[in-house]
Amino acid sequence: MNSRNPMYVIIVGGGKVGYHLFEALTAEGHEVLIIEKDRKTAERLAGELGEMVMYGDGCEIRTMTEAGMGRANVVVAVTGDDEDNLVICQMAKRQFGVPRTLARVNDPKNEELFQQLGIDQTISSTRIIFNLLEQQIETGQVIPLAALKKGDIEVVEADITSNSPANGVKIGQLDLPANALIISVIRDGHAIIPHADTKIRTGDSVIAIIKADREKELRTIFSGEQA
């Protein structure tokens, strides 16, 4: 399914995260460029993905200019170096006026610093895994995927089982917590934009946005676990 509003997205970092992000975004009809500073990796990616792979240092103004960062809608920095990711996003916003920047944060201690310095969104796989362990997630429970607005808002995923109270129920009939929003239902490997009449069924993964302090209420709705 192609996006109705195609964007120009620049991904800095051609590792596994950058590669799979490229594939997902291009499949949706977006224009995507990967910048990779390791020559061999860049050549390997170019051999597979074509001309939308650029060899260069994404921290350098010259590389950014050649990549057309001035017309980018989104810049995503997913290198393995937090300092590089911070510099890339800051330069993208300040030098090129990129509307939205996302940075991978390898050390969760750096998340607050990134946010204080104006990075629009941070993604820390370490933080996500920590949250999973902290909450002793089991099959069928609500899983936090990302934190927004300094952790005040969470993006969560709930896997629907046959025992889920939400199984067989239309979204419009769910007694969702205030300000909770179901943004997608993953069914048979495809993302569905849900509406009030969409009936949730076994095997679905429900993606929702909710305030962090109401997440336990959502857990009750989808897993039956009491808040």
Side-chain angles (χ1 to χ4, degrees), residues 194-216:
H195 48 76
D197 291 331
T198 301
K199 184 179 290 186
I200 296 174
R201 67 190 193 195
T202 299
D204 285 350
S205 293
V206 178
I207 311 298
I209 296 177
I210 189 171
K211 293 199 69 172
D213 59 0
R214 309 298 295 270
E215 183 261 332
K216 289 185 178 179

Side-chain angles (χ1 to χ4, degrees), residues 8 10 61 63-75 91-93 95-99:
Y8 178 39
I10 294 177
I61 288 284
T63 302
M64 292 179 162
T65 302
E66 292 177 355
M69 197 160 286
R71 68 178 184 87
N73 302 102
V74 183
V75 168
M91 291 177 65
K93 290 194 78 72
Q95 297 292 328
F96 296 93
V98 175

Side-chain angles (χ1 to χ4, degrees), residues 4-227:
R4 295 178 180 176
N5 299 300
M7 301 181 295
Y8 178 39
V9 181
I10 294 177
I11 301 170
V12 184
K16 289 183 178 178
V17 174
Y19 172 83
H20 290 296
L21 186 57
F22 177 95
E23 285 197 318
L25 288 168
T26 53
E28 290 294 321
H30 299 292
E31 179 185 2
V32 187
L33 175 72
I34 292 181
I35 300 175
E36 169 56 46
K37 69 178 181 181
D38 180 83
R39 183 181 293 277
K40 290 184 178 179
T41 300
E43 290 176 350
R44 176 177 55 78
L45 288 172
E48 182 174 350
L49 303 177
E51 61 183 9
M52 296 310 289
V53 177
M54 177 179 177
Y55 165 65
D57 187 344
C59 294
E60 294 183 349
I61 288 284
R62 183 180 64 179
T63 302
M64 292 179 162
T65 302
E66 292 177 355
M69 197 160 286
R71 68 178 184 87
N73 302 102
V74 183
V75 168
V76 185
V78 289
T79 77
D81 188 303
D82 283 359
E83 185 175 346
D84 281 357
N85 292 340
L86 178 60
V87 169
I88 291 161
C89 289
Q90 282 196 300
M91 291 177 65
K93 290 194 78 72
R94 296 180 179 180
Q95 297 292 328
F96 296 93
V98 175
R100 188 179 179 197
T101 55
L102 293 86
R104 173 184 179 185
V105 181
N106 300 285
D107 184 348
K109 295 178 181 176
N110 292 331
E111 280 186 290
E112 185 174 353
L113 174 63
F114 274 53
Q115 291 160 355
Q116 289 175 347
L117 294 176
I119 308 307
D120 297 308
Q121 189 169 351
T122 59
I123 303 167
S124 170
S125 56
T126 305
R127 174 69 65 189
I128 293 171
I129 293 171
F130 175 80
N131 288 342
L132 289 172
L133 293 173
E134 187 179 48
Q135 297 180 35
Q136 297 182 325
I137 297 300
E138 297 176 357
T139 302
Q141 291 189 336
V142 176
I143 302 171
L145 298 178
L148 310 175
K149 298 295 182 183
K150 299 182 179 180
D152 292 338
I153 298 174
E154 288 186 350
V155 180
V156 300
E157 174 183 356
D159 292 331
I160 306 301
T161 67
S162 58
N163 295 323
S164 169
N167 184 31
V169 179
K170 293 180 180 179
I171 287 178
Q173 297 173 327
L174 295 174
D175 185 19
L176 295 173
N179 298 320
L181 176 65
I182 295 178
I183 56 177
S184 184
V185 174
I186 310 300
R187 178 174 295 165
D188 300 327
H190 300 284
I192 298 172
I193 305 301
H195 48 76
D197 291 331
T198 301
K199 184 179 290 186
I200 296 174
R201 67 190 193 195
T202 299
D204 285 350
S205 293
V206 178
I207 311 298
I209 296 177
I210 189 171
K211 293 199 69 172
D213 59 0
R214 309 298 295 270
E215 183 261 332
K216 289 185 178 179
E217 296 174 50
L218 199 67
R219 186 190 303 269
T220 299
I221 292 172
F222 288 119
S223 70
E225 177 183 332
Q226 294 300 310

